[in-house]
Amino acid sequence: MARESQQTELKRGLKNRHIQLIALGGAVGAGLFLGIAQTINMTGPSVILGYAIGGFIAFMIMRQLGEMVAEEPVAGSFSHFANKYWSPFAGFLSGWNYWVMFILVGMAELTAAGKYINYWLPDIPVWVSVAIFFVAINLINLINVKMYGETEFWFAIIKVLAIVGMILFGSYLLASGNGGPQASISNLWELGFFPHGFTGFMSALAIVMFSFGGLELVGITAAEAENPKVSIPKATNQVVYRILIFYIGSLLVLLSLYPWTQVVKGESPFVLIFHNLDNFLIANILNAVVLTAALSVYNSGVYSNSRMLYGLAKQGNAPHALSRINKRGVPVVSLLLSAIATSLGILVNYLLPDQALELLMALVVTTLVLNWIMICLANLKFRAAKTKEGVEPFFKALWYPYGNYICLAFLCMILVIILFMPQVNISVILMPFWIAFLWVGFKISRMKKTPNSAQVSQDI
């Protein structure tokens, strides 16, 4: 019994620097480096306003999550709180939806990585690059949580330094006049700030929200943080500020250097801009950076998915075997199951090489929105329970409860917007069926709950 207990407990091996860079790394990937081209084409320079609005909504949601996690730093993050303070099905839905979301994110980021490799080696099929990176990242995560933390720390450091360097270098090109004849700050309004009107802007908002997916990693790391009551609030507050600076700062520089009408959809505008400035060294370095960024997000996805399955197993909302931990503190069964699911992305890229990224990003947005809706609602339930107990959280959500309602209204609006986007509305149409599918899965799991729960309680 004692030996089994040791094999089902995560190790607190993540330091404050790991947690801050893990959360940052999870949200700075294909959404910024590749997906941003799509939003620029949809709404022009007003995309800057879109990222500001989306970033603020994301910040409020992360404060709601941070309030709960700082109070109870446990495995399973928001799934745990939905399960404990709302209902077992809410916990089941939150956890499994998040797992599927990051499976899709993993597929999207690996697809983006394959496209970045094509910049150097255009004859290499995307699915081949996807397969190679898939194997490498999963092997890294099998070692131990500290190795993952260190890998992600340096992945994130590289892209943070690159983005800051790009902003500074781009600012220099603008100020010195070396950016070329097309470079001018007037590019932000000369061709129209809202070139496709309010409709184009609202459509872009749906894609913008994809960029902020991954911030939830702050909550996922809580069970393995050395000092969660200090690191979680700090990471929650600082990461969103930094992301807003990176996104808005980068966009201001990029859209000043290059007219938005010349940004090629499906390509990285960061690489294209420097490439067309005849600075091939910078373009190649930047392509290496955006490749690192995509791998970083997938690395975070591998970590978060294995820990979410572990948390679900501890709740009794997933098979008990998924709570098994190896001697290095890695939930290896959960990691392998996630890897098997993500490997379908290789098949998607083989069958749909041109449509894979756009399709995956559309599916991610709806699972992300559902995930954030569950966080907002779980926080309302959490705070109501704490108030009844006479407990006041020390790290409070912003503008509670009105902040929760604002976020819920915004997220519902995003779903309505996607519903009217012909190319991606299938993701919203499928949502009720997805929830119904999870309900059936939940009911089936409850049929086997008694023996499973007994086993879990014995191990704990």
Side-chain angles (χ1 to χ4, degrees):
M1 291 262 184
R3 185 175 66 85
E4 177 66 17
S5 176
Q6 291 175 356
Q7 291 179 342
T8 58
E9 295 302 323
L10 298 173
K11 297 180 179 179
R12 292 193 179 273
L14 295 176
K15 300 181 184 297
N16 180 56
R17 65 183 177 91
H18 292 143
I19 291 170
Q20 296 216 34
L21 270 297
I22 284 168
L24 189 60
V28 180
L32 174 61
F33 292 111
L34 194 60
I36 210 168
Q38 183 179 359
T39 54
I40 290 172
N41 275 271
M42 292 171 74
T43 189
S46 61
V47 71
I48 297 169
L49 178 61
Y51 278 95
I53 294 172
F56 182 70
I57 293 295
F59 171 63
M60 287 203 292
I61 295 171
M62 290 311 103
R63 281 292 296 262
Q64 293 161 24
L65 176 60
E67 174 183 278
M68 297 186 290
V69 172
E71 203 69 27
E72 296 180 23
V74 296
S77 186
F78 43 86
S79 174
H80 161 82
F81 299 107
N83 184 76
K84 181 177 179 180
Y85 294 101
W86 189 353
S87 72
F89 175 63
F92 185 94
L93 171 62
S94 295
W96 282 106
N97 178 74
Y98 184 78
W99 181 76
V100 169
M101 183 196 82
F102 247 117
I103 291 296
L104 295 170
V105 167
M107 293 179 184
E109 296 294 346
L110 286 172
T111 301
K115 288 181 177 291
Y116 298 142
I117 290 294
N118 282 162
Y119 178 79
W120 294 309
L121 303 169
D123 295 329
I124 300 293
V126 170
W127 71 268
V128 173
S129 301
V130 168
I132 293 170
F133 292 132
F134 166 79
V135 172
I137 296 297
N138 278 282
L139 287 176
I140 288 172
N141 276 266
L142 276 172
I143 298 174
N144 57 43
V145 68
K146 189 173 182 181
M147 175 60 74
Y148 157 73
E150 285 298 328
T151 303
E152 187 54 32
F153 177 82
W154 291 108
F155 267 164
I157 282 288
I158 290 170
K159 57 188 177 184
V160 166
L161 291 177
I163 294 170
V164 171
M166 189 210 67
I167 292 172
L168 294 176
F169 181 66
S171 300
Y172 160 74
L173 291 176
L174 280 170
S176 65
N178 293 322
Q182 84 290 340
S184 170
I185 195 170
S186 63
N187 286 331
L188 296 176
W189 62 82
E190 206 164 61
L191 297 174
F193 188 71
F194 289 95
H196 299 307
F198 188 67
T199 302
F201 175 74
M202 296 302 290
S203 297
L205 264 183
I207 309 302
V208 162
M209 295 312 295
F210 167 83
S211 303
F212 296 105
L215 292 178
E216 311 88 354
L217 284 166
V218 171
I220 301 294
T221 61
E224 293 169 279
E226 285 188 347
N227 192 356
K229 289 191 178 294
V230 173
S231 59
I232 297 300
K234 189 174 181 181
T236 301
N237 283 331
Q238 293 185 359
V239 166
V240 181
Y241 299 144
R242 292 172 185 173
I243 286 177
L244 281 174
I245 292 170
F246 292 153
Y247 274 90
I248 294 176
S250 298
L251 280 167
L252 284 171
V253 171
L254 290 171
L255 293 176
S256 296
L257 280 173
Y258 211 59
W260 72 268
T261 52
Q262 298 177 41
V263 175
V264 179
K265 184 178 178 181
E267 300 287 347
S268 169
F270 292 85
V271 175
L272 286 172
I273 286 169
F274 288 105
H275 180 86
N276 284 284
L277 289 174
D278 292 327
N279 198 321
F280 294 107
L281 176 61
I282 294 293
N284 278 282
I285 291 174
L286 201 55
N287 196 61
V289 170
V290 295
L291 173 62
T292 300
L295 295 178
S296 167
V297 176
Y298 177 55
N299 189 37
S300 291
V302 171
Y303 166 81
S304 66
N305 264 347
S306 60
R307 272 55 180 185
M308 180 56 76
L309 285 184
Y310 168 85
L312 285 168
K314 298 294 272 187
Q315 296 167 21
N317 280 326
H320 175 62
L322 294 173
S323 67
R324 302 280 180 177
I325 304 292
N326 67 13
K327 293 180 180 179
R328 296 182 296 276
V330 178
V332 64
V333 180
S334 292
L335 192 147
L336 291 175
L337 178 60
S338 300
I340 291 169
T342 307
S343 67
L344 294 174
I346 301 172
L347 180 62
V348 172
N349 276 282
Y350 179 75
L351 297 174
L352 300 168
D354 297 324
Q355 297 85 29
L357 185 63
E358 187 171 340
L359 174 64
L360 291 169
M361 287 176 69
L363 292 173
V364 167
V365 169
T366 50
T367 53
L368 173 66
V369 170
L370 179 57
N371 176 48
W372 283 2
I373 287 173
M374 296 302 289
I375 291 175
C376 294
L377 293 172
N379 181 249
L380 288 170
K381 298 286 186 180
F382 170 85
R383 180 69 78 88
K386 291 299 177 184
T387 300
K388 190 175 293 185
E389 295 171 10
V391 176
E392 189 173 347
F394 73 93
F395 182 61
K396 295 181 180 179
L398 190 65
W399 300 345
Y400 172 88
Y402 305 107
N404 299 64
Y405 300 142
I406 290 171
C407 292
L408 287 168
F410 181 87
L411 294 171
C412 290
M413 180 188 72
I414 292 295
L415 291 178
V416 173
I417 291 170
I418 297 174
L419 190 59
F420 286 93
M421 297 170 67
Q423 295 176 327
V424 295
N425 63 358
I426 186 65
S427 58
V428 175
I429 294 170
L430 290 175
M431 183 177 286
F433 298 98
W434 169 233
I435 295 174
F437 175 78
L438 288 176
W439 171 257
V440 172
F442 171 74
K443 285 298 184 181
I444 293 172
S445 72
R446 294 299 102 175
M447 292 177 187
K448 302 178 181 180
K449 185 177 186 296
T450 304
N452 187 56
S453 298
Q455 181 64 45
V456 172
S457 64
Q458 286 176 5
D459 292 334
I460 293 173

